[in-house]
């Protein structure tokens, strides 16, 4: 079968060209796909059907609920309580505020499922607090944004749902369980870096809490953290599906924030729903257009051509995974994480399965890899938000970040080449 190189150029070149002139991603995907379909002589009805098929999934119904529950808990002040609990647990150590930042991110990430939400909420008061305690602003930003990557690994993660959709409907519960060990391994490695830096730079210790204060902080935070129990417990026990668990978690989050914490009123609710609808509209448009784009990638045999090119160099599993990691790290610096998951999964998944990599393992590897991209210039969203909160230039933060980058890359290599880190918990579920 001959290769339509002009069609490939029109699809990929058109998309990249539109991105360069700052056309919104959903429109860039749609216009490039439409032009390519017309070139190939495909009926436009097929394009419309593919767009609808991208949303015609029960798994997709979980997306709006996960976005909504994250927004409710963020607006409802759960992050304040998690930071206090983290300070109770590790604040008395040298460099305790930095350690508490990482612990709080691991807990908050399990509620919001978003690195960006983590930085925007926890970072909004922890970055200034760390700076006030004498930590360099660049260091404060580095700790906050790198620890926020736990949010894309520790369930429930919105990006894992996107991967499950792009991979053809993988079980979300299995993906969720696969992210726990890598997520906590990442947090542990960052805490080790903070411990070393605290001794070298003589970072301050935090205050000690008495037993009553500690129990009150634990109880107050536990009420919000029970949201995670509802989502994960419901899925693992088989009582609820992922969508049903997310919907019940929304109801619980509303009850907690409105009646217990009393931090949400009618005005806050309007902001929450407006933010959720805006995010959902953007996500929906990208999923629809990326579905057509992915179909055309397959129609033009681009995954096959890429696989042949890689295997022509070497079919060694170690090399293939290393090459894919390098590709993802580069692209993660340039494009949004969710878009890359939707676009690259149909291309790369057939390649890794040929060398014996489980789709669940690859999903966690890909999400961690692209999570690092959220912390790297020039378009790392978490990095931009963190620098905006600290009011410093991006270069100043990046200079302080190299030990944390190194720790994240080591964890990425461990996740890539030690499948047991991702597959042990899912295997225990079966």
């Amino acid at each position: 079968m001959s290769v339509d190189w002009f069609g490939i150029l029109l699809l990929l070149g058109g998309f990249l060209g539109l991105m360069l002139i700052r056309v919104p991603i959903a429109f860039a995907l749609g216009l490039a796909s439409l032009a390519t379909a017309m070139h190939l002589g495909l009926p436009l009805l097929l394009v419309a059907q593919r767009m609808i098929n991208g949303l015609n999934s029960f798994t997709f119904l979980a997306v709006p609920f996960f976005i909504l529950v994250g927004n409710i808990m963020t607006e409802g002040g759960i992050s304040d309580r998690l930071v206090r609990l983290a300070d109770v647990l590790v604040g008395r150590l040298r460099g305790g505020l930095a350690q508490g930042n990482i612990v709080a991110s691991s807990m908050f990430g399990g509620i919001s499922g978003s690195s960006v939400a983590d930085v925007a909420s926890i970072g909004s008061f922890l970055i200034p607090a760390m700076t006030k305690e004498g930590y360099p602003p660049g260091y404060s930003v580095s700790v906050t944004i790198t620890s926020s990557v736990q949010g894309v690994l520790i369930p429930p993660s919105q990006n894992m749902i996107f991967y499950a959709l792009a991979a053809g409907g993988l079980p979300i519960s299995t993906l969720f369980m696969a992210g726990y060990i890598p997520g906590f391994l990442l947090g542990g490695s960052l805490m080790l870096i903070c411990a070393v830096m605290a001794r070298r730079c003589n970072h301050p210790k935090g205050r000690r809490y008495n037993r009553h204060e500690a129990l009150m902080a634990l109880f107050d935070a536990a009420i919000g953290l029970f949201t995670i129990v509802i989502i994960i417990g419901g899925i693992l026990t088989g009582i609820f599906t992922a969508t049903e668990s997310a919907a019940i978690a929304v109801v619980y989050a509303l009850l907690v924030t409105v009646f217990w914490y009393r931090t949400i009123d009618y005005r806050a609710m309007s902001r929450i729903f407006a933010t959720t609808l805006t995010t959902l509209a953007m996500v929906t448009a990208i999923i629809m257009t990326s579905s057509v784009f992915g179909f055309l990638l397959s129609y033009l045999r681009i995954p096959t051509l890429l696989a042949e090119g890689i295997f022509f160099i070497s079919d060694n599993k170690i090399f293939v995974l290393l090459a894919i990691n390098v590709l993802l790290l580069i692209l993660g610096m340039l494009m949004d994480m969710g878009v890359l998951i939707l676009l690259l999964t149909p291309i790369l998944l057939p390649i890794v399965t040929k060398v014996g990599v489980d789709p669940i393992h690859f999903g966690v590897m890909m999400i961690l890899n692209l999570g690092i991209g959220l912390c790297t210039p020039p378009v790392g969203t978490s990095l931009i938000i963190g620098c905006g909160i600290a009011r410093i230039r991006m270069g100043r933060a990046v200079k302080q970040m190299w030990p944390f980058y190194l720790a994240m890359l080591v964890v990425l290599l461990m996740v890539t080449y030690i499948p047991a880190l991702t597959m042990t918990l899912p295997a225990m579920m079966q």
Side-chain angles (χ1 to χ4, degrees):
M1 183 177 177
S2 61
V3 178
D4 187 343
W5 292 108
F6 181 77
I8 294 174
L9 179 62
L10 185 60
L11 182 65
L12 299 180
F15 170 64
L16 293 176
L18 290 168
M19 286 282 293
L20 287 175
I21 60 175
R22 299 191 175 182
V23 174
I25 291 174
F27 289 103
L29 289 168
L31 290 172
S33 299
L34 182 61
T36 306
M38 294 175 67
H39 161 71
L40 296 172
L42 298 175
L44 297 185
L45 179 61
L46 178 62
V47 175
Q49 288 175 336
R50 287 288 170 177
M51 292 178 72
I52 298 301
N53 286 343
L55 301 178
N56 188 21
S57 168
F58 186 74
T59 301
F60 176 75
L61 292 177
V63 174
F65 291 117
F66 279 121
I67 295 174
L68 181 56
V69 74
N71 287 337
I72 291 171
M73 299 306 283
T74 301
E75 185 78 25
I78 181 64
S79 54
D80 302 2
R81 291 161 173 84
L82 295 181
V83 168
R84 188 182 177 204
L85 176 60
D87 196 34
V88 168
L89 295 175
V90 296
R92 62 185 179 277
L93 304 175
R94 183 164 300 282
L97 197 55
Q99 301 280 13
N101 193 330
I102 298 171
V103 173
S105 290
S106 68
M107 293 186 288
F108 186 77
I111 293 176
S112 70
S114 168
S115 168
V116 174
D118 188 323
V119 175
S121 58
I122 290 179
S124 63
F125 53 91
L126 264 184
I127 290 176
M130 289 180 66
T131 304
K132 186 177 179 180
E133 287 289 323
Y135 295 86
Y139 182 80
S140 303
V141 172
S142 300
V143 174
T144 303
I145 67 171
T146 53
S147 64
S148 73
V149 178
Q150 296 174 96
V152 300
L153 289 169
I154 299 174
S157 167
Q158 300 166 18
N159 292 287
M160 286 187 176
I161 299 176
F162 295 154
Y163 176 78
L165 286 169
L170 293 175
I172 294 177
S173 59
T174 306
L175 264 174
F176 279 180
M177 293 305 294
Y180 269 115
I181 293 178
F184 290 128
L185 180 63
L186 175 63
S189 67
L190 297 177
M191 291 182 75
L192 179 61
I193 297 295
C194 285
V196 173
M197 295 297 291
R199 290 188 175 275
R200 289 184 58 185
C201 304
N202 196 31
H203 289 159
K205 294 182 179 181
R207 59 165 290 198
R208 288 180 176 270
Y209 291 82
N210 60 45
R211 182 176 298 179
H212 175 73
E213 290 174 324
L215 290 175
M216 288 300 297
L218 176 60
F219 178 72
D220 204 22
I223 294 172
L225 287 172
F226 192 72
T227 310
I228 305 174
V229 177
I230 292 174
I231 296 173
I232 304 302
I235 295 173
L236 295 182
T237 57
I239 298 175
F240 312 124
T241 64
T243 302
E244 292 165 347
S245 293
I248 293 171
V250 168
V251 176
Y252 176 79
L254 281 172
L255 292 174
V256 168
T257 52
V258 173
F259 297 107
W260 184 266
Y261 291 157
R262 297 182 180 179
T263 49
I264 289 183
D265 54 17
Y266 291 109
R267 290 184 180 179
M269 285 303 303
S270 64
R271 289 196 302 271
I272 289 169
F273 283 112
T275 302
T276 301
L277 287 173
T278 302
T279 304
L280 183 60
M282 177 184 65
V283 168
T284 300
I286 292 174
I287 290 176
M288 292 175 68
T289 51
S290 65
S291 178
V292 182
F293 194 89
F295 165 73
L296 292 172
L297 287 173
S298 178
Y299 188 88
L300 292 168
R301 299 177 58 242
I302 293 176
T304 303
L305 294 173
L306 181 60
E308 290 174 352
I310 292 176
F311 291 141
F312 178 76
I313 300 173
S314 174
D315 60 356
N316 181 273
K317 180 178 179 179
I318 295 175
F319 169 79
V320 171
L321 291 178
L322 182 61
I324 289 175
N325 269 323
V326 172
L327 174 66
L328 291 174
L329 285 170
I330 294 172
L331 292 176
M333 298 178 188
L334 304 174
M335 289 181 63
D336 180 73
M337 179 179 186
V339 176
L340 286 173
I341 290 173
L342 293 169
L343 292 183
L344 296 179
T345 299
I347 299 175
L348 299 178
L349 188 57
I351 297 175
V352 297
T353 52
K354 281 188 177 180
V355 294
V357 176
D358 189 279
I360 299 293
H361 174 203
F362 177 66
V364 176
M365 176 189 118
M366 176 186 241
I367 289 168
L368 172 56
N369 193 310
L370 297 180
I372 296 173
L374 296 172
C375 307
T376 51
V379 294
T381 312
S382 297
L383 176 60
I384 292 170
I385 294 174
C387 291
I389 294 171
R391 297 180 181 178
I392 61 172
R393 293 183 180 274
M394 194 179 294
R396 188 175 174 186
V398 172
K399 287 179 182 179
Q400 296 278 337
M401 209 177 296
W402 69 265
F404 300 96
Y405 279 140
L406 181 61
M408 289 193 294
L409 290 175
V410 170
V411 173
L412 174 62
L413 290 175
M414 292 175 67
V415 169
T416 300
Y417 295 113
I418 308 177
L421 293 175
T422 54
M423 301 307 297
T424 298
L425 289 182
M428 292 171 63
M429 288 174 50
Q430 299 175 356

